[in-house]
Amino acid sequence: MRLETTQQKPTLLMLSDRFPDPDGDQRATRAWRLLCCASVTHRVYLSAVADKPVNLSLWRRVAKRVDRVQIAAPKRPWKEASPFSGDVITWTNTQNFDALLATNPSAWPAVFPGRISTAICDFTFDKTDSKPTIAGLYQRLWPRKQVELTAARRSQIIAACDRALVATTEQAKALIGAGGKVFILPDETVSKAWSLLFAGAQIPVEAPTPTVLHVKPTTLRHAA
């Protein structure tokens, strides 16, 4: 848990397909960059899938940036791991989150938790192949059906999210159906771009000009 006081910040539920790691693979480093940005603007509740054991040093680095952290149950031979499980269900049932961030469509919850103002999904590694699994080999027996399901799921997530993140202009052009929801968050300038992501919700409201009424002064009553 974070030591500094962050009660004044809005809350964000981060669901990650990789445990954030600045020294990990591309997905893990992307998740780390997103976590670093999110922890500046929000109180982060993190649930992440770890594709390898998490050492104590990395755990502490991540824990300093979040209010809560959970490592999702590991993959099973016939089923992919989901970060929206375990304690996360309790989190969403006991408090309202201002924002939801999924680091990959595979991390998007099957049942969307309600009462979330802004939902964001990162599509940067949407088409990156993962390590072969028995489930993956089994599904390839019906490649056409699998492609149809993937396309339908992608369209469903794009429709449900408020922002679809990508890292490059080429990825933005390739994300069919996202339209105005696409927001480019380059790895090189991720912090600057992240600050603009929530800028629309932080526009100050101009205070109305007070109206001065001229009132006739009253005479003070003297004590008897």
Side-chain angles (χ1 to χ4, degrees), residues 1-2 4 6 9-23 26-49 54 57-71 91 100-104 120 122 165 185-187 190-191 194-195 197-198:
M1 180 182 293
R2 301 175 66 178
E4 68 270 22
T6 58
K9 294 181 179 179
T11 53
L12 180 143
L13 176 62
M14 181 173 176
L15 305 176
S16 181
D17 64 327
R18 291 287 189 280
F19 196 83
D21 183 357
D23 303 314
Q26 290 183 318
R27 288 193 180 191
T29 55
R30 174 78 173 179
W32 172 259
R33 293 188 184 100
L34 292 174
L35 172 61
C36 290
C37 292
S39 63
V40 173
T41 58
H42 292 75
R43 295 169 52 204
V44 179
Y45 285 62
L46 169 69
S47 178
V49 176
V54 177
S57 175
L58 177 58
W59 174 271
R60 286 174 174 169
R61 293 183 71 178
V62 170
K64 287 180 180 179
R65 296 182 175 274
V66 302
D67 276 45
R68 296 285 188 277
V69 58
Q70 169 190 264
I71 296 181
W91 297 348
L100 167 70
L101 169 63
T103 62
N104 190 272
I120 304 168
D122 189 11
L165 305 183
L185 205 72
D187 288 332
V190 63
S191 297
W194 179 269
S195 64
L197 181 61
F198 288 93

Side-chain angles (χ1 to χ4, degrees), residues 88-110:
V88 179
I89 307 299
T90 303
W91 297 348
T92 56
N93 287 335
T94 55
Q95 79 167 73
N96 297 335
F97 287 94
D98 298 286
L100 167 70
L101 169 63
T103 62
N104 190 272
S106 64
W108 191 265

